[in-house]
Amino acid sequence: METTAGLTFRDATDADVDTLVALVESAYRGDDSRAGWTTEADILEGQRTDPEGVLAVIKSPDSRLLTVERDGQVVACCQLEHRGTYAYFGMFAVSPTLQGDGLGKVIIAEAERIARETWGVTEMHMTVISVRNDLVAWYERRGYRRTGQMTPFPYGDERFGVPQRDDLQFELLVKPLV
């Protein structure tokens, strides 16, 4: 467990699954997500994740699901996965009512530090839905760069949501961690 800026970072446990699913869903889907700026409610309906998906990240030997608490309450989470020379950053969620207060900047910086120190990686990779220009711009301000490398959105697989448009794809963003 580590503490930074009044936040406590710890690895998620099986007992956190329901709380983390609710957090991720609230940050990206449905009306609750509209309280924050990371909502995907206009481009995707349905679920963002499920208990099985969260548990798989927790149980994976090459992955950590960082749970972030403030005053004993879970306020954010993010996945770090060791993939050789780089770490993958995903499942990043901040409680919608706390978005816009600088929490995300602190959390991503700490996640980058943890990945670098734990695994000795030199880059962080992530994928973002390419039409999320506001979100991509936020990551660019944190030092991530667009690569132009796209992967298709998994249309027809409702575990990832129900698309509301037909032009969704993921773009790889990369940041050096040296």
Side-chain angles (χ1 to χ4, degrees):
M1 230 187 288
E2 303 190 37
T3 304
T4 301
L7 301 172
T8 302
F9 292 78
R10 63 175 177 79
D11 288 332
T13 67
D14 296 10
D16 295 312
V17 169
D18 290 342
T19 299
L20 294 175
V21 169
L23 172 67
V24 171
E25 293 299 309
S26 74
Y28 291 97
R29 299 289 201 283
D31 287 337
D32 287 348
S33 70
R34 294 181 195 280
W37 68 273
T38 61
T39 184
E40 295 172 344
D42 295 328
I43 60 171
L44 289 161
E45 291 181 353
Q47 72 179 29
R48 171 74 187 254
T49 192
D50 55 30
E52 295 77 20
V54 171
L55 192 58
V57 173
I58 291 171
K59 296 292 190 192
S60 172
D62 293 323
S63 200
R64 298 176 71 174
L65 186 52
L66 291 181
T67 301
V68 184
E69 295 179 345
R70 180 194 280 162
D71 300 325
Q73 296 294 314
V74 173
V75 296
C77 67
C78 64
Q79 172 192 8
L80 293 173
E81 185 177 323
H82 186 207
R83 296 183 179 176
T85 60
Y86 70 92
Y88 178 81
F89 180 82
M91 208 180 290
F92 187 27
V94 174
S95 176
T97 58
L98 299 175
Q99 291 176 17
D101 291 341
L103 209 54
K105 286 186 251 190
V106 172
I107 293 166
I108 196 168
E110 181 66 4
E112 291 165 355
R113 185 194 68 75
I114 289 170
R116 189 174 51 250
E117 291 182 7
T118 303
W119 297 314
V121 295
T122 57
E123 287 184 335
M124 185 80 86
H125 291 199
M126 70 173 71
T127 55
V128 177
I129 296 173
S130 62
V131 299
R132 298 288 320 279
N133 294 321
D134 53 346
L135 188 57
V136 171
W138 188 85
Y139 285 120
E140 287 179 311
R141 290 191 299 275
R142 312 273 96 60
Y144 288 81
R145 65 174 176 75
R146 298 183 91 149
T147 64
Q149 293 179 24
M150 303 291 183
T151 53
F153 187 86
Y155 284 91
D157 187 343
E158 292 191 5
R159 290 178 303 155
F160 299 97
V162 180
Q164 300 304 295
R165 46 194 289 179
D166 62 5
D167 63 343
L168 301 182
Q169 56 186 343
F170 294 105
E171 182 171 3
L172 175 66
L173 304 182
V174 175
K175 178 181 181 178
L177 295 181
V178 288

